[in-house]
Amino acid sequence: MTQLLIRHARILLPDGEFFLGDVLVRQGKIIEVASEISETNLNTIIDARGLTLLPGVIDPQVHFREPGLEHKEDLFTASCACARGGVTSFLEMPNTLPLTTTQAILDDKLDLAAQKCLVNYGFFIGATPDNFPDLLTANPTCGIKIFMGSAHGALLVSREQELEPIFAQGSRLIAVHAEDQARIIQRRQEFAGITDPAIHSQIQDETAALNATKLALKLSKKYQRRLHILHLSTGIEAEFLRQDKPSWVTAEVTPQHLLLNTDAYEKIGTLAQMNPPLRSPENNQILWQALLDGVIDFIATDHAPHTLEEKGKGYPNTPSGMPGVETSLPLMLTQAMTGKCTVAQVSHWMSTAPAKAYKIPNKGLIKSGYDADLILVDLDNYHPVLREELQTKCGWSPFEGWNLTGWPVITIVGGNVVYEQGKLNTEVRGKALQFEA
Ligand code: DOR
């Protein structure tokens, strides 16, 4: 029987307190958490002295490009990046080719993931104006993704009369990319000819985001439909939700919307281009406060890799998006070490809260009976984000050169060590996530 013992770790307990002790793992499950566990029949012993044990990160919004766009990323390279970044489970978006809009295409993606993914995986089904039957019955899926704006071909569902029937039928979670497509199209025309990428934040402006968030919230309230607002980018949306956020609505923010702003265009040009766009420094602050206050529920990276060649085409011919799974945890833990928040809060936002929101059983906490998706992080040393160490196929990060702490030293998926001190165990495979009704 596979048994793993982690000894002398600083363990984050479910109540947010730390505890110095041992964790015993058997057959992929946490069996015991205690100050000292004496066990002889072991396959692996990890001496975790000086390291902090956290539940593995669940990244609830990523774009991993397979099938169809493997020149940017694939499920193997993306999951290697996850393992290095401490992401033990991910929820992936439907803008792959073919678009994930039917059960058959979802099944194909699940098969690919079973073959190639080093970490656990779940997939959204994408809404089009005419795939209701699939949206109602697709299984297993973490939810329905609606692109209200920033279209990806047939995935665009932007008008109220097309959105309403999706909110009206069924009960599963709807996750929205909230940008007002009509406004974006109109502003693209107004600003046509401008090649400074900073214009991107003005074309897809704060009002475009707010309009769509308001519409999604209106429909969610009308049908009491479970709604999740993806990558909230503006202070005005956060303040709007602060006033009016029903108990069945959740929202997320990305590390880049917390830590980068429109100043980034000057430094990294189109590498800073994403949807919804980066905003002003004031927005960073309001989003932080909303996260600290619980108006925003959790963190997602929106990992959206594009090649440097594609990013070098010159605005507006450049694709939007930036990678994130490899840097999100150290970015947030570095913030914790500066006193902006606590390590327990980071773990809540990156593990416990997404597991709860997406009803993923037995994940997101270090507790006996829970899955042994665990990370040991080093909060004493700093190390920069280096291009040559990145596992993502796109090979760049908007955070290159940032000196971060909290890098995973060991990542464990289902009781197996998948990453240790710079080395990946590419034999490990994750499992398909389950989502409770
Ligand atoms: O910037 C983005 N790029 N935002 C998204 O929501 C999609 C993504 C992509 O797939 O490239």
Side-chain angles (χ1 to χ4, degrees), residues 1 19 30 82 100 163 184 360 437:
M1 202 180 290
F19 170 82
I30 299 168
C82 284
T100 320
L163 288 161
I184 293 173
I360 307 171

Side-chain angles (χ1 to χ4, degrees), residues 1-318:
M1 202 180 290
T2 326
Q3 291 218 107
L4 164 77
L5 181 63
I6 302 166
R7 305 196 65 197
H8 312 301
R10 182 169 168 259
I11 304 164
L12 179 66
L13 297 176
D15 64 3
E17 297 296 320
F18 287 95
F19 170 82
L20 202 61
D22 299 354
V23 173
L24 180 66
V25 169
R26 188 183 300 144
Q27 302 293 69
K29 294 271 180 202
I30 299 168
I31 299 297
E32 192 183 354
V33 180
S35 53
E36 199 175 337
I37 300 174
S38 45
E39 180 73 44
T40 46
N41 185 20
L42 294 165
N43 305 80
T44 314
I45 301 176
I46 295 171
D47 184 353
R49 236 175 283 252
L51 300 176
T52 299
L53 188 71
L54 303 175
V57 170
I58 300 171
D59 191 335
Q61 194 200 165
V62 299
H63 302 264
F64 281 174
R65 310 304 191 202
E66 187 171 0
L69 297 159
E70 293 88 348
H71 67 286
K72 298 174 195 271
E73 188 81 280
D74 62 54
L75 287 165
F76 177 74
T77 54
S79 65
C80 288
C82 284
R84 175 172 182 242
V87 175
T88 53
S89 299
F90 65 80
L91 305 181
E92 207 259 357
M93 286 298 168
N95 56 326
T96 37
L97 293 176
L99 303 171
T100 320
T101 52
T102 67
Q103 181 68 51
I105 299 170
L106 177 66
D107 287 342
D108 287 346
K109 224 180 196 184
L110 284 159
D111 285 347
L112 279 170
Q115 291 164 38
K116 301 181 79 170
C117 270
L118 279 64
V119 303
N120 306 311
Y121 46 87
F123 297 105
F124 283 89
I125 177 119
T128 71
D130 52 21
N131 71 336
F132 286 128
D134 298 273
L135 298 184
L136 291 174
T137 57
N139 185 49
T141 182
C142 41
I144 297 169
K145 165 70 181 280
I146 303 181
F147 281 94
M148 297 173 73
S150 294
H152 288 271
L155 286 181
L156 182 70
V157 187
S158 60
R159 290 178 303 158
E160 185 166 351
Q161 62 268 35
E162 292 164 344
L163 288 161
E164 182 147 2
I166 303 176
F167 278 81
Q169 291 175 57
S171 58
R172 67 170 32 137
L173 179 149
I174 293 175
V176 290
H177 178 127
E179 288 192 278
D180 174 348
Q181 183 72 1
R183 184 175 172 89
I184 293 173
I185 289 172
Q186 176 220 321
R187 289 174 73 79
R188 260 188 213 143
Q189 284 162 6
E190 271 171 45
F191 293 96
I194 302 179
T195 55
D196 177 353
I199 202 69
H200 189 65
S201 294
Q202 285 187 52
I203 295 173
Q204 303 195 192
D205 68 348
E206 296 185 25
T207 305
L210 182 64
N211 289 351
T213 290
K214 279 187 171 167
L215 175 56
L217 200 71
K218 176 179 135 185
L219 292 171
S220 165
K221 283 169 72 172
K222 182 164 177 187
Y223 296 101
Q224 301 213 348
R225 182 65 183 263
R226 174 79 179 93
L227 171 68
H228 176 64
I229 303 167
L230 300 157
H231 43 35
L232 208 73
S233 64
T234 70
I236 39 170
E237 290 168 284
E239 290 312 301
F240 177 70
L241 288 176
R242 190 186 288 280
Q243 303 307 321
D244 184 12
K245 185 172 170 245
S247 58
W248 60 87
V249 175
T250 50
E252 71 185 29
V253 66
T254 67
Q256 54 271 36
H257 286 113
L258 292 172
L259 300 170
L260 297 177
N261 51 57
T262 42
D263 296 346
Y265 291 115
E266 235 171 81
K267 293 176 204 138
I268 56 171
T270 56
L271 300 186
Q273 181 193 330
M274 71 168 294
N275 298 331
L278 299 177
R279 310 292 183 191
S280 67
E282 294 72 44
N283 281 287
N284 295 145
Q285 279 174 27
I286 305 171
L287 291 170
W288 260 111
Q289 197 55 51
L291 180 64
L292 290 165
D293 294 343
V295 174
I296 296 175
D297 300 85
F298 49 85
I299 307 263
T301 64
D302 192 21
H303 179 95
H306 299 284
T307 65
L308 282 168
E309 194 189 338
E310 290 163 336
K311 280 290 199 181
K313 281 183 177 160
Y315 192 82
N317 301 316
T318 34

